[in-house]
């Protein structure tokens, strides 16, 4: 506790005596007590305690008065006064005023023997208060920064009396009891986060663009310029007077241009413009492919004896038809770059919607026309005379005719159950020449065994069953209702190129029937062609007797319609999806197989093997479904079951013309092609006839 | 064009006819050009006898309207080569004898 002033004793004793009495009294009092203790503890504590006590024996000055008990107890009263006994009483000083020595009455009675400037403050003084305030702030800070788990009560017990007082003081100061750190389970921790390094970044903007200009001004320059300007004005005035009509024209033109510029919004741009732009973009983008299409001829063909290659060109796909198999392909005979693609599915379990798309070679990225259908498309054909008419056969058995001129999504004609639609998928449709009343008409073949003729009469689609196919080889014509005729499933057909009435029908049973439009009751001929369904039959473009067929039984067969057995049989080691004759040669044909290969044959070159066998799909899983030759360009398109259509260029070896002889005009034309085929056939006929014999 | 036979009439005619402002060279946008031209005409008519004041007026007005550091030269005959900020130059004739060049360069 801060103390400055010494407490005053009530009894004032002379210092010497007092000090003696104070000194002696406790000594005497202590000694017997100590001795007593010694006696008691001697046995217990032994020498160690004695030695300890001996060290404390008090030394007495030799000249100390020996006083008896009574004398010691006697109380001597001394009075302390403020007068200094040693201070001289007789100090005189000379007084100049009175011209004599005079005693000084007030003598300094104060004598300082010892002085110590203490550093204690009285607790009520201002300085002490300030000090308290300072320390309490510091303590608080410490208390706040340390956390203590121990309870307040437990801690108080540990506090000494002083501390308790302190805490009481604090309490009286109205402060919260500060928390103490747990001394046994406390460690200070410090950490510093990583300081991101500073980086300088500076940039400078470009100054505003500036330009230099220089000229000279003087009176004649100004004059000249004014004159020129005046002349100009006069001229314009004359012009304005002369043709006032023209001006109006200009105005109207301006108005037009402004209205045009107002419709700058992209949504208002006519689709035609967009189409043209799209083609322009694609022309640039696929320039190398276009160049290949037009000019590239595989140079390595010269060094290969017979074999040729297929060069992939464009790849056509449409986002919405991605999962739909290509089920039909057809080139437009009028627009040589346009072809139609039918999308559907051959999988019985995965039937859904279909898609009819028209692509142009000029734009491979997006179809020219899009028609969405409810049922999967199975086949289609573009009319030769009316290229806007497209006949389509659906999986649900109906046939429809789309008009490309009308950009609606609906067909202009569609057969219904009322109007004689098929009850099974329509496998092929084929336009015929317009009938005598100039009505377009087409034929269709379906699994329900009917071959039906459809005629577009005004707004109606008239139908007529041409033939009903039966299993036992003879077409039955309503032979009594008691026995239901078992129908054969027609899967494909083709009409003879020259003989109008003649056509052949391939069936799911593997048979091919030669029929005539004239006889609905019987087949002209039946060929036991394949062991599985006939996927396609096609007449040769040149030779009137020859047709080709392909089947899922891995074979492609070439027939002479007059002979019951195939002329050629090729095994392609995979189900054959489609086969097509080349339009430029009677002996060249292409077949696609489900293992993703295109096989191109030229009988004139090799009668046993394909001269080109090429994998054209990206993945082996993709099955090729259809193939079609372009009517003029040396390209083919193949469709696969993932919805892709690939365009391939046929290399020179695959379209070999008869070798040119020097100085001779090489005969060209259909006759030559017929002769070429005939020659090959004749080679074969003899051995076959020999076998027969 | 100037016929020596009638110099006086010609001159009077010239003064009368050639009072309109005539832009010799500019790269300003349309709106700014019209405004600047009108300002020049106003200034030159206001201070017809004191080209310095006219130039000062044009400069100060242009500074206020289009931001600072415009320079104006008015005179009957002078030659110059200047660097100006693009789209901020007007060089015109006025009143048949005055040339005004206004440009911005900070």
């Amino acid at each position: 506790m801060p103390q400055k002033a010494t407490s005053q004793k009530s009894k004032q004793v002379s210092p010497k005596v007092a000090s003696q009495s104070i000194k002696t009294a406790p000594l005497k009092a202590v000694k017997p007590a100590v001795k007593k203790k010694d006696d008691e503890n001697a046995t217990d504590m032994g020498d160690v305690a004695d030695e300890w006590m001996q060290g404390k024996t008090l030394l007495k000055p030799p000249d100390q008065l020996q006083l008896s008990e009574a004398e010691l107890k006697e109380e001597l009263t001394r009075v302390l006064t403020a007068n200094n006994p040693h201070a001289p009483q007789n100090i005189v000083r000379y007084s100049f005023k009175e011209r004599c020595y005079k005693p000084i009455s007030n003598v300094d009675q104060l004598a300082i023997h010892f002085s110590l400037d203490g550093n204690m403050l009285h607790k009520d003084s201002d300085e002490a208060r300030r000090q308290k305030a300072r320390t309490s702030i510091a303590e608080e800070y410490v208390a706040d920064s340390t956390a203590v788990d121990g309870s307040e009560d437990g801690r108080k017990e540990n506090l000494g009396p002083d501390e308790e007082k302190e805490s009481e003081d604090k309490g009286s100061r109205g402060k919260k009891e500060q928390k103490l750190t747990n001394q046994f389970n406390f460690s200070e921790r410090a950490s510093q986060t990583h300081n991101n390094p500073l980086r300088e970044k500076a940039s400078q903007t470009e100054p505003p663009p500036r330009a230099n200009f220089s000229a000279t001004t003087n009176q004649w320059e100004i004059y000249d310029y004014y004159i020129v300007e005046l002349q100009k004005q006069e001229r314009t005035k004359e012009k304005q007077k002369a043709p006032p009509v023209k001006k109006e024209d200009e105005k109207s033109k301006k108005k037009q241009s402004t209205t045009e510029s107002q419709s700058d919004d992209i949504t208002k741009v006519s689709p035609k413009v967009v189409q043209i732009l799209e083609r322009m973009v694609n022309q640039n983008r696929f320039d190398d492919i276009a160049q290949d299409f037009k000019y590239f001829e595989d140079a390595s063909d010269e060094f290969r004896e017979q074999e040729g290659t297929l060069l992939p060109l464009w790849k056509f796909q449409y986002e919405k038809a991605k999962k739909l198999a290509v089920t039909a392909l057809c080139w437009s005979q009028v627009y040589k770059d346009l072809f139609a693609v039918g999308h559907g599915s051959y999988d019985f379990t995965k039937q859904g919607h279909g898609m009819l798309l028209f692509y142009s070679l000029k734009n491979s990225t997006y179809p020219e026309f899009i028609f969405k259908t409810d049922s999967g498309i199975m086949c289609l054909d573009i009319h030769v005379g009316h290229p806007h008419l497209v006949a389509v056969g659906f999986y649900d058995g109906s046939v429809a005719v789309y008009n490309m001129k009308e950009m609606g999504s609906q067909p202009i004609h569609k057969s219904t159950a009322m109007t004689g639609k098929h009850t099974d998928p329509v496998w092929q449709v084929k336009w015929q020449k317009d009938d005598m009343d100039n009505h377009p008409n087409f034929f269709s073949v379906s699994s329900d065994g009917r071959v039906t003729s459809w005629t577009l009469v005004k707004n109606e689609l008239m139908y007529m069953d041409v033939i009903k196919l039966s299993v036992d080889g003879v077409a039955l014509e309503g032979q009594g209702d008691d026995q239901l005729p078992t129908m054969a499933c027609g899967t494909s057909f083709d009409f003879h190129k020259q003989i109008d009435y003649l056509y052949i029908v391939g069936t799911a049973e593997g048979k091919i029937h030669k029929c005539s439009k004239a006889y609905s009751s019987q087949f002209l001929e039946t060929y036991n062609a394949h062991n599985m369904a006939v996927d396609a039959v096609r007449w040769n473009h040149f030779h009137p007797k020859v047709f080709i067929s392909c089947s899922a039984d891995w074979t492609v067969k070439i027939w002479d319609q007059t002979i019951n057995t195939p002329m050629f049989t090729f095994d392609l080691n995979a189900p054959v999806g489609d086969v097509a004759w080349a339009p430029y040669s009677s002996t060249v044909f292409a077949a696609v197989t489900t293992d993703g290969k295109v096989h191109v044959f030229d009988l004139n070159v090799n009668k046993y093997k394909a001269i080109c066998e090429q994998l054209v799909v990206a993945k082996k899983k993709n099955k090729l479904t259809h193939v079609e030759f372009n009517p003029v360009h040396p390209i083919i398109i193949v469709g696969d079951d993932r919805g892709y259509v690939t365009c391939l260029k046929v290399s020179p070896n695959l379209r070999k013309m008869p070798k040119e002889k020097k100085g001779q005009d090489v005969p060209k034309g259909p006759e030559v092609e017929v002769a070429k085929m005939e020659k090959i056939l004749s080679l074969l006929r003899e051995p076959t006839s020999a076998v027969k014999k | 064009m100037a016929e020596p036979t009638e110099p006086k009439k010609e001159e009077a005619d010239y003064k009368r006819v050639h009072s309109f402002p005539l832009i010799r060279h500019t790269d300003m946008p349309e709106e700014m050009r019209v405004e600047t031209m009108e300002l020049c005409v106003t200034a030159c008519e206001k201070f017809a006898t004191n080209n310095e004041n006219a130039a000062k007026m044009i400069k100060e007005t242009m500074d206020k309207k289009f931001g600072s550091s415009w320079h104006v030269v008015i005179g009957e005959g002078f030659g110059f080569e200047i660097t100006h900020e693009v789209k901020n130059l007007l060089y015109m004739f006025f009143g048949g004898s005055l040339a005004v060049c206004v440009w911005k360069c900070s």
Side-chain angles (χ1 to χ4, degrees):
Chain A
M1 279 173 71
Q3 276 178 327
K4 208 171 187 181
T6 50
S7 55
Q8 283 181 340
K9 289 182 181 173
S10 55
K11 285 181 183 174
Q12 293 185 330
V13 192
S14 78
K16 236 186 180 175
V17 181
S19 69
Q20 273 185 352
S21 67
I22 288 165
K23 271 180 190 168
T24 50
L27 275 176
K28 295 253 167 132
V30 166
K31 256 201 168 173
V34 168
K35 272 180 185 170
K36 267 183 194 171
K37 258 195 181 173
D38 280 357
D39 294 339
E40 283 173 1
N41 294 345
T43 48
D44 295 327
M45 300 175 79
D47 300 336
V48 184
D50 287 339
E51 273 172 28
W52 183 74
M53 288 309 293
Q54 276 166 5
K56 286 275 178 177
T57 49
L58 296 166
L59 291 172
K60 287 177 186 172
D63 54 344
Q64 194 179 359
L65 283 174
Q66 294 293 328
L67 294 174
S68 65
E69 284 286 308
E71 280 170 335
L72 280 170
K73 276 184 181 170
E74 186 187 352
E75 281 189 3
L76 297 172
T77 355
R78 294 279 190 276
V79 180
L80 283 176
T81 61
N83 295 335
N84 186 357
H86 302 294
Q89 308 284 329
N90 48 354
I91 295 173
V92 287
R93 284 210 179 129
Y94 184 79
S95 167
F96 292 96
K97 188 184 168 188
E98 295 174 24
R99 295 174 186 254
C100 64
Y101 286 98
K102 287 214 88 174
I104 290 165
S105 58
N106 51 340
V107 180
D108 188 15
Q109 303 289 340
L110 180 67
I112 296 168
H113 301 289
F114 174 74
S115 116
L116 175 68
D117 286 333
N119 51 3
M120 287 182 177
L121 303 173
H122 192 265
K123 65 174 181 178
D124 292 334
S125 70
D126 287 347
E127 202 179 345
R129 251 182 248 130
R130 273 201 298 278
Q131 194 181 350
K132 261 186 223 165
R134 239 191 343 266
T135 52
S136 67
I137 285 166
E139 276 168 7
E140 254 178 59
Y141 180 73
V142 171
D144 287 347
S145 63
T146 57
V148 179
D149 296 332
S151 65
E152 292 286 303
D153 295 354
R155 194 169 50 78
K156 259 194 179 173
E157 285 172 8
N158 294 335
L159 296 175
D162 293 352
E163 284 168 332
E164 227 168 330
K165 268 186 189 170
E166 246 180 44
S167 65
E168 272 170 28
D169 283 356
K170 277 173 194 165
S172 66
R173 269 182 267 152
K175 286 194 178 170
K176 284 178 186 173
E177 287 185 41
Q178 68 177 104
K179 286 181 179 176
L180 287 186
T181 56
N182 183 350
Q183 299 179 31
F184 306 103
N185 186 16
F186 172 76
S187 62
E188 263 186 22
R189 282 187 199 168
S191 67
Q192 192 167 18
T193 54
H194 175 70
N195 284 329
N196 286 325
L198 298 174
R199 272 196 204 121
E200 270 185 22
K201 195 175 179 187
S203 67
Q204 190 171 17
T205 56
E206 266 186 37
R210 289 180 177 186
N212 280 340
F213 177 66
S214 62
T216 316
T217 320
N218 43 39
Q219 286 306 299
W220 51 90
E221 285 226 347
I222 296 173
Y223 179 84
D224 284 353
Y225 197 71
Y226 266 105
I227 295 298
V228 169
E229 182 66 24
L230 281 172
Q231 279 177 343
K232 242 192 240 170
Q233 281 180 2
E234 269 172 34
R235 243 179 278 149
T236 50
K237 265 182 198 171
E238 278 169 20
K239 271 186 191 170
Q240 279 173 356
K241 277 175 191 170
V245 189
K246 264 192 183 175
K247 204 183 172 186
E248 276 175 19
D249 278 357
E250 277 173 21
K251 272 186 182 173
S252 60
K253 269 183 191 171
K254 271 184 186 173
K255 271 182 191 170
Q256 277 182 357
S257 65
T258 50
T259 50
E260 273 170 22
S261 64
Q262 277 170 355
S263 63
D264 212 44
D265 192 5
I266 191 120
T267 53
K268 287 175 188 168
V269 176
S270 73
K272 191 133 197 172
V273 175
V274 176
Q275 229 165 13
I276 290 168
L277 266 173
E278 192 182 18
R279 284 195 181 188
M280 284 163 69
V281 169
N282 277 318
Q283 196 181 358
N284 283 341
R285 213 175 125 201
F286 300 106
D287 182 50
D288 47 343
I289 295 179
Q291 296 288 339
D292 282 351
F293 161 70
K294 192 73 185 165
Y295 301 112
F296 179 78
E297 301 293 357
D298 199 341
S300 61
D301 265 20
E302 285 186 26
F303 307 105
R304 279 192 290 256
E305 277 282 297
Q306 297 168 336
E307 285 168 6
T309 55
L310 296 168
L311 173 75
L313 297 174
W314 300 275
K315 201 157 195 180
F316 301 88
Q317 71 172 102
Y318 180 52
E319 194 63 34
K320 286 173 183 167
K322 219 173 180 180
K323 294 266 168 77
L324 295 171
V326 174
T327 51
L329 291 171
C330 185
W331 285 97
S332 169
Q333 298 291 325
V334 177
Y335 306 105
K336 311 294 186 193
D337 61 313
L338 189 74
F339 64 90
V341 182
H343 286 282
S345 176
Y346 285 122
D347 194 337
F348 175 72
T349 57
K350 289 176 187 167
Q351 284 302 323
H353 69 286
M355 198 80 89
L356 174 62
L357 306 174
F358 290 85
Y359 286 102
S360 167
L361 297 183
K362 292 168 186 165
N363 182 5
S364 59
T365 52
Y366 199 78
E368 298 287 310
F369 301 94
I370 300 165
F371 298 94
K372 204 163 178 268
T373 61
D374 295 332
S375 176
I377 291 173
M378 284 288 114
C379 52
L380 63 90
D381 193 26
I382 301 176
H383 199 287
V384 179
H386 311 286
H388 60 280
L389 288 180
V390 183
V392 175
F394 292 104
Y395 190 84
D396 66 358
S398 57
V399 293
V401 177
Y402 283 89
N403 187 350
M404 276 197 268
K405 283 179 181 171
E406 290 172 22
M407 275 305 283
S409 59
Q410 293 305 311
I412 51 168
H413 298 288
K414 186 159 186 179
S415 66
T416 62
M418 290 282 285
T419 57
K421 78 165 203 175
H422 293 283
T423 51
D424 271 321
V426 182
W427 289 105
Q428 196 152 16
V429 289
K430 210 92 180 177
W431 284 104
Q432 296 297 303
K433 281 177 193 154
D434 291 357
D435 65 7
M436 286 181 291
D437 301 327
N438 281 329
H439 294 306
N441 68 95
F442 66 92
F443 278 62
S444 67
V445 65
S446 163
S447 298
D448 63 359
R450 282 160 57 203
V451 176
T452 311
S453 161
W454 305 84
T455 313
L456 274 67
V457 184
K458 288 180 183 171
N459 297 324
E460 275 185 279
L461 196 61
M462 311 284 282
Y463 85 101
M464 186 179 72
D465 285 350
V466 176
I467 204 165
K468 282 178 178 163
L469 309 169
S470 65
V471 178
D472 47 356
V474 183
L476 300 167
E477 179 77 88
Q479 277 188 352
D481 298 328
D482 50 335
Q483 56 180 134
L484 270 170
T486 45
M487 301 300 268
C489 300
T491 53
S492 58
F493 69 155
D494 196 21
F495 290 85
H496 198 275
K497 305 284 176 198
Q498 282 97 34
I499 308 163
D500 208 26
Y501 57 83
L502 196 64
Y503 65 96
I504 44 174
V505 181
T507 63
E509 290 77 31
K511 285 176 181 158
I512 296 173
H513 305 295
K514 185 166 79 174
C515 312
S516 166
K517 287 184 202 170
Y519 306 104
S520 61
S521 55
Q522 66 179 58
F523 305 133
L524 298 181
E525 191 85 62
T526 296
Y527 311 92
N528 282 319
H530 292 283
N531 298 322
M532 291 178 76
V534 180
D535 283 332
V537 287
R538 306 245 194 169
W539 288 100
N540 191 284
H541 288 288
F542 300 95
H543 199 284
K545 286 182 180 172
V546 176
F547 66 88
I548 195 167
S549 68
C550 71
S551 163
D553 66 358
W554 297 13
T555 57
V556 171
K557 291 180 181 179
I558 293 172
W559 305 80
D560 183 334
Q561 58 151 315
T562 56
I563 298 171
N564 252 335
T565 52
M567 305 303 291
F568 292 97
T569 301
F570 302 101
D571 196 322
L572 300 184
N573 289 326
V576 186
D578 196 8
V579 68
W581 289 104
Y584 49 81
S585 169
S586 61
T587 54
V588 177
F589 64 90
V592 288
T593 51
T594 52
D595 57 356
K597 282 178 182 167
V598 176
H599 306 257
V600 182
F601 290 82
D602 190 344
L603 301 177
N604 201 27
V605 175
N606 193 331
K607 285 187 271 296
Y608 309 103
K609 249 178 74 184
I611 54 172
C612 175
E613 186 181 326
Q614 196 168 323
L615 191 72
V616 297
V617 286
K619 287 173 201 163
K620 260 213 155 162
K621 273 187 274 176
N622 285 20
K623 294 174 184 173
L624 289 181
T625 54
H626 283 276
V627 61
E628 204 73 47
F629 278 90
N630 186 282
V632 286
H633 303 297
I635 52 172
I636 57 170
I637 43 172
V638 293
D640 66 22
D641 65 345
R642 298 284 174 101
Y644 292 101
V645 176
T646 315
C647 183
L648 302 149
K649 179 154 182 167
V650 180
S651 78
N653 265 7
L654 304 182
R655 44 195 161 97
K656 226 182 217 170
M657 295 294 134
K659 277 182 185 172
E660 292 183 23
K661 285 168 192 168
K662 282 170 197 170
Q664 267 190 321
D665 254 357
V666 180
K668 282 178 183 171
E671 297 82 20
V672 182
E673 295 295 336
V674 172
K676 188 166 76 176
M677 191 61 165
E678 188 60 39
K679 195 176 143 198
I680 297 164
L681 291 178
S682 63
L683 281 173
L684 280 165
R685 258 184 221 130
E686 281 157 17
T688 48
S689 55
V691 168
K692 272 188 180 174
K693 277 168 193 171
Chain B
M1 286 135 257
E3 286 173 27
T5 49
E6 300 169 275
K8 275 197 176 176
K9 192 196 170 189
E10 183 69 24
E11 198 178 319
D13 195 30
Y14 173 79
K15 278 268 158 101
R16 184 176 54 79
V17 171
H18 292 185
S19 58
F20 62 89
L22 181 55
I23 290 175
R24 180 79 178 82
H25 176 90
T26 186
D27 59 354
M28 283 180 181
E30 171 78 28
E31 209 174 302
M32 190 179 181
R33 185 180 66 213
V34 171
E35 204 170 321
T36 314
M37 196 178 76
E38 277 170 7
L39 171 67
C40 290
V41 170
T42 320
C44 289
E45 279 172 352
K46 194 175 176 187
F47 302 102
T49 52
N50 192 341
N51 286 345
E52 202 181 323
N53 281 355
K56 197 174 178 182
M57 176 187 169
I58 294 170
K59 186 230 159 21
E60 277 165 5
T61 318
M62 290 300 282
D63 279 353
K64 259 183 229 163
K65 276 185 182 168
F66 300 106
S68 67
S69 294
W70 284 89
H71 311 270
V72 181
V73 176
I74 300 178
E76 295 191 349
F78 55 91
F80 59 91
E81 163 134 6
I82 55 164
T83 302
H84 66 94
E85 280 177 26
V86 169
K87 306 229 171 196
N88 286 300
L89 170 74
L90 180 87
Y91 175 40
M92 59 176 276
F93 300 142
F94 175 66
S97 61
L98 274 185
V100 183
C101 185
V102 185
W103 76 95
K104 182 183 180 174
C105 184
S106 40

